[in-house]
Amino acid sequence: MSSSSSSSDGLEGGLIAAFQAEYEEEMLNEEEDPRRPRRRREFIRRDRLGAHDRLFEDYFADDCNYPPSFFRRRGEAPVVNFTVNGHEYNYGYYLADDIYPSWPVFMKGVTLPQSEKQRMFTAAQSAWRKDVECAFGVLKARFNILAVPGRSYSRRTLGLIMRACVILHNMIIDDERGTNLEHTYETVESIVGPAIHHHAPPSLAARIQMDNEMRDSPVYTQLQQDLIEHVWAHNA
């Protein structure tokens, strides 16, 4: 048993030694062969400063080579001007719940109302928000065109789509009144090809200013307080 083990170890050691000798000889021949070119690392001139200048001129300059009209944008909020409690505001707002940030474009209820004014405003905000959510939920379930992205539609087209869906929904309700029919909703994807409309701000600086204004927490606090006073004055 020991003799067979030692012979096996000797055979393995001989193979390893033979392979190592062959490998060293091959490496030596490669180093001594003058016809074999040596590999060198290739230097690539990146020109990062020039690339930065081209990027700025292409996309971010006031008179850029590729303005926002070349691309499909995510949409732009319409201009809304209104005055409440003596203060003027330039952006509309969506009724939202507490998961959204405290920005002037999202109006939430008071998390822990401490006064009767705050409780009345929070109850009214919640009721209005739920009415809108339920109405849109019913329409989205029935009409697939409302469930797919519509950011590339113009404001006029969106208004026409909503009016058409509301009219059709009311016609269906009136036609099916008193019957026990299962709802057959549209399930295929919309194949409508909307026209793309771009109304981008004139410069990057204007976009940054708009974004900062829409994220201004002090303006949100002031707007919420003004709306609380407005609701209290009209419902107390």
Side-chain angles (χ1 to χ4, degrees):
M1 186 72 175
S2 60
S3 61
S4 62
S5 176
S6 60
S7 62
S8 176
D9 292 342
L11 178 60
E12 183 178 356
L15 290 176
I16 293 176
F19 175 78
Q20 183 175 359
E22 183 180 354
Y23 177 77
E24 291 177 353
E25 182 179 359
E26 183 179 353
M27 293 294 102
L28 184 61
N29 293 334
E30 287 186 0
E31 292 178 359
E32 294 177 352
D33 189 359
R35 295 171 301 177
R36 186 181 182 88
R38 297 187 62 184
R39 286 178 121 185
R40 294 185 179 180
R41 297 182 63 183
E42 183 180 357
F43 176 75
I44 301 177
R45 187 176 297 277
R46 301 293 183 182
D47 190 20
R48 290 182 171 85
L49 294 178
H52 176 272
D53 294 336
R54 290 192 298 271
L55 180 65
F56 182 82
E57 293 295 331
D58 285 344
Y59 300 105
F60 300 106
D62 291 340
D63 188 17
C64 59
N65 298 325
Y66 303 101
S69 58
F70 276 60
F71 307 98
R72 184 170 180 172
R73 300 182 61 84
R74 292 184 297 173
E76 182 179 336
V79 178
V80 178
N81 302 104
F82 65 95
T83 301
V84 58
N85 199 33
H87 296 102
E88 183 177 352
Y89 299 94
N90 299 319
Y91 293 100
Y93 57 85
Y94 294 95
L95 299 177
D97 51 24
D98 291 336
I99 196 174
Y100 288 88
S102 297
W103 295 350
V105 292
F106 300 119
M107 182 48 55
K108 305 180 293 183
V110 181
T111 304
L112 296 174
Q114 303 295 323
S115 63
E116 189 62 31
K117 291 182 179 180
Q118 293 180 349
R119 283 190 286 270
M120 177 180 291
F121 169 77
T122 302
Q125 190 269 357
S126 178
W128 296 329
R129 175 173 55 83
K130 290 179 180 178
D131 287 344
V132 175
E133 289 178 353
C134 291
F136 273 91
V138 171
L139 293 177
K140 284 176 62 178
R142 184 179 290 274
F143 302 106
N144 188 66
I145 194 173
L146 301 180
V148 298
R151 292 168 177 167
S152 56
Y153 287 107
S154 66
R155 290 168 55 190
R156 180 178 179 276
T157 303
L158 286 174
L160 293 175
I161 291 174
M162 287 304 307
R163 291 186 182 92
C165 291
V166 170
I167 293 172
L168 290 173
H169 175 75
N170 291 338
M171 293 174 62
I172 293 172
I173 294 299
D174 185 67
D175 184 65
E176 296 179 352
R177 192 183 305 276
T179 60
N180 186 18
L181 300 176
E182 294 184 0
H183 298 287
T184 304
Y185 295 151
E186 184 180 356
T187 57
V188 298
E189 294 184 359
S190 176
I191 58 174
V192 179
I196 298 177
H197 296 263
H198 306 285
H199 303 285
S203 66
L204 177 63
R207 168 59 69 181
I208 294 176
Q209 181 180 357
M210 292 175 61
D211 289 344
N212 291 335
E213 290 175 354
M214 289 190 295
R215 291 169 168 79
D216 195 343
S217 295
V219 174
Y220 166 81
T221 303
Q222 181 64 53
L223 175 60
Q224 187 185 59
Q225 186 61 38
D226 289 338
L227 290 174
I228 290 174
E229 296 294 337
H230 177 77
V231 171
W232 177 261
H234 285 74
N235 295 278

